[in-house]
Amino acid sequence: MPQRNDPRLRSDAQRNRERILEVALTELSRAADTPLSAIAKKAGVGQGTFYRNFPNRETLVLELYRHGVQQIADTASVLLETMEPDRALRAWMDHLARFAMTKAGLAEAIRQALSTSSGKAAKPGHTPVTEAADLLLRACEEAGTIRPGVTPDDFMLAIAGLWQLSPHDDWQPQATRLLDIVMDGLRAGAPGRRGLSGGSGRL
């Protein structure tokens, strides 16, 4: 019989947890009051497994938010490994737009979770996302592909329009235009641009 520390058990438990989060994201974005039993059923896990991972609705909703924040943060270093810094930054901005729409879709579920937590839970912060933005901005600055001195706070203010878009509308074309404008502004005055030929630094 497999022991409790068997890697296969840990792997199965992780898959169950990720599957619950995946289903919960879809269902709670559609309806904030979706029953937890329905989420467990669609995720293909038993009630015991579900509640071992997420004892209540508040725990599930806030973990969804934390999970999304960490995913978008982790994407930054992955993109930098495969792309030039400015291209990695622009690609990451698209990921951030999708996260903004996910957050908007979960807004009511998050509000309900916080209002019923009796002050015991707090909405997770954006620190990992801010740190990821800083990583990308510094890489771009070192490469000479954006104007020097841009801070993560500057960047987050510049893209704040993303949070004004509705996930229920055709938000992608408008987000693309907004992010292209921001990216053009970041590239304007970049010291490395003088050495580029044929527009090789553009998307």
Side-chain angles (χ1 to χ4, degrees):
M1 180 177 181
Q3 297 299 309
R4 188 173 292 274
N5 62 354
D6 189 322
R8 289 174 298 176
L9 292 181
R10 294 197 299 270
S11 178
D12 287 345
Q14 183 62 29
R15 280 196 295 270
N16 284 338
R17 185 178 179 83
E18 290 176 354
R19 178 61 181 158
I20 291 169
L21 289 171
E22 178 185 343
V23 172
L25 176 60
T26 300
E27 297 304 314
L28 292 175
S29 294
R30 290 173 179 165
D33 57 353
T34 299
L36 299 185
S37 58
I39 293 172
K41 183 176 181 180
K42 288 195 175 185
V45 302
Q47 296 293 311
T49 297
F50 183 93
Y51 285 106
R52 276 196 300 275
N53 282 279
F54 305 105
N56 51 50
R57 181 178 296 271
E58 295 75 37
T59 303
L60 173 62
V61 171
L62 295 179
E63 179 57 24
L64 270 176
Y65 189 82
R66 291 189 189 95
H67 186 68
V69 166
Q70 195 57 56
Q71 277 192 322
I72 192 68
D74 292 343
T75 300
S77 57
V78 174
L79 291 170
L80 279 173
E81 291 174 0
T82 58
M83 297 180 178
E84 292 298 317
D86 60 331
R87 292 176 180 269
L89 175 59
R90 181 61 185 84
W92 187 73
M93 289 160 71
D94 286 333
H95 286 275
L96 194 57
R98 287 190 288 274
F99 170 70
M101 293 303 98
T102 296
K103 178 186 172 185
L106 282 174
E108 179 58 20
I110 293 170
R111 187 195 66 76
Q112 289 183 14
L114 294 176
S115 67
T116 59
S117 65
S118 301
K120 295 179 182 178
K123 184 177 176 180
H126 281 111
T127 300
V129 173
T130 302
E131 292 174 347
D134 188 51
L135 175 69
L136 287 157
L137 291 169
R138 298 291 71 79
C140 289
E141 187 171 336
E142 290 172 12
T145 52
I146 66 168
R147 60 191 304 161
V150 179
T151 69
D153 286 344
D154 294 334
F155 174 79
M156 298 307 289
L157 284 171
I159 64 166
L162 286 177
W163 278 267
Q164 304 303 314
L165 303 179
S166 170
H168 307 297
D169 297 331
D170 186 17
W171 59 268
Q172 288 181 307
Q174 194 169 5
T176 297
R177 288 195 300 274
L178 170 66
L179 296 178
D180 282 345
I181 291 169
V182 172
M183 196 69 217
D184 285 345
L186 290 171
R187 285 176 169 142
R193 289 182 64 81
R194 298 191 195 101
L196 297 174
S197 62
S200 58
R202 302 184 69 85
L203 285 175

